Amino acid sequence: QNVVTQEPSFSVSPGGTVTLTCGLSSGSVSFKNYPSWYRQTPGQAPRTLIYTTSTRSSGVPDRFSGSILGNKAALTITGAQADDDSEYYCLLYMGRGTYVFGPGTKVTVL
Amino acid sequence: QVQLVQSGAEVKKPGASVTVSCKASGFTFTNYFFHWVRQAPGQGLEWMGQINPTGYGTIYAQKFQGRVTMTKDTSTSTVYMELSSLTSEDMAIYFCARDSNYYAPDVWGQGTLVTVSS
């Protein structure tokens, strides 16, 4: 079974840039996986940031961008702010109507 | 406004079933698929399945097949998720989410805590 991979954690300074990735244990992530990204703070529902690789969801600031980097999907935060301190999840479409979340990346802004 | 409102917290005994509801408002219910996602305490998000409100299409993650049933009531714009044979491993917050029509949830319910305890 194909497993989705994400970095466990990242630290970034305020104003800095960080790139999170989302891969597959077997094979490459492509636009056909329709990668999407979500941010979640403790006790809250997830918030959708990016869908179909690089489209920002309504109201999401343009410091968040999505792409394919090599064989992985990527989420880049440019000009990190204190409230970007959160858990970030990717979601991949695996075909036949099924999806799998990655394990999440904890981003610390300090 | 566009929103999904879920039913309240549940406490169930092991072996029982639980049904969580998710009422949609502010948009045309039949134009969207709906996902169910859960999150165990201190753990990540887990996709459970999705339902097509216009027909009988449901797709479940392999892990939950045989134990989960997703249904809808178009007259009340509500989707339901029933999970049976509960164990302590099913203790989690359960979220419904509207699909954006672009292979991703875009609107989320507030979550429903399900506790399994004897």
Side-chain angles (χ1 to χ4, degrees):
Chain A
Q1 183 177 349
N2 224 337
V3 174
V4 179
T5 62
Q6 293 186 250
E7 298 87 358
S9 62
F10 265 119
S11 279
V12 60
S13 301
T17 296
V18 64
T19 296
L20 317 181
T21 68
C22 176
L24 286 169
S25 58
S26 177
S28 299
V29 175
S30 77
F31 69 95
K32 294 180 181 179
N33 294 113
Y34 301 94
S36 53
W37 292 90
Y38 307 84
R39 179 167 86 174
Q40 188 184 34
T41 52
Q44 300 294 316
R47 177 191 181 188
T48 304
L49 298 176
I50 300 285
Y51 59 93
T52 56
T53 305
S54 59
T55 305
R56 276 186 296 276
S57 192
S58 176
V60 173
D62 60 7
R63 67 177 186 274
F64 293 94
S65 61
S67 63
I68 298 289
L69 288 181
N71 62 350
K72 296 182 179 182
L75 174 71
T76 299
I77 307 172
T78 305
Q81 300 182 1
D83 63 359
D84 295 332
D85 194 298
S86 294
E87 192 82 23
Y88 291 80
Y89 295 94
C90 66
L91 177 67
L92 297 180
Y93 178 67
M94 304 302 284
R96 298 185 178 184
T98 66
Y99 297 77
V100 178
F101 279 101
T105 297
K106 176 67 175 79
V107 173
T108 302
V109 181
L110 50 72
Chain B
Q1 71 277 28
V2 172
Q3 63 178 355
L4 300 174
V5 178
Q6 298 183 220
S7 49
E10 301 268 8
V11 179
K12 296 293 182 180
K13 294 188 184 303
S17 297
V18 67
T19 298
V20 179
S21 68
C22 171
K23 183 173 176 58
S25 61
F27 61 95
T28 303
F29 178 73
T30 51
N31 285 353
Y32 296 89
F33 284 61
F34 291 85
H35 300 268
W36 286 93
V37 174
R38 76 177 187 179
Q39 186 170 38
Q43 302 301 307
L45 302 174
E46 183 174 27
W47 186 82
M48 298 180 69
Q50 64 171 326
I51 181 168
N52 173 0
T54 60
Y56 299 93
T58 54
I59 299 172
Y60 305 137
Q62 187 172 10
K63 175 178 179 177
F64 299 102
Q65 285 181 5
R67 213 161 61 90
V68 70
T69 304
M70 297 177 187
T71 57
K72 44 78 175 172
D73 183 343
T74 304
S75 68
T76 60
S77 298
T78 303
V79 291
Y80 300 89
M81 187 283 301
E82 178 185 17
L83 189 63
S84 62
S85 304
L86 293 171
T87 72
S88 59
E89 295 187 352
D90 295 313
M91 287 183 57
I93 298 174
Y94 288 77
F95 296 99
C96 64
R98 185 187 79 170
D99 190 273
S100 60
N101 289 331
Y102 293 99
Y103 296 85
D106 64 345
V107 177
W108 294 76
Q110 83 276 19
T112 297
L113 176 63
V114 174
T115 301
V116 182
S117 174
S118 55

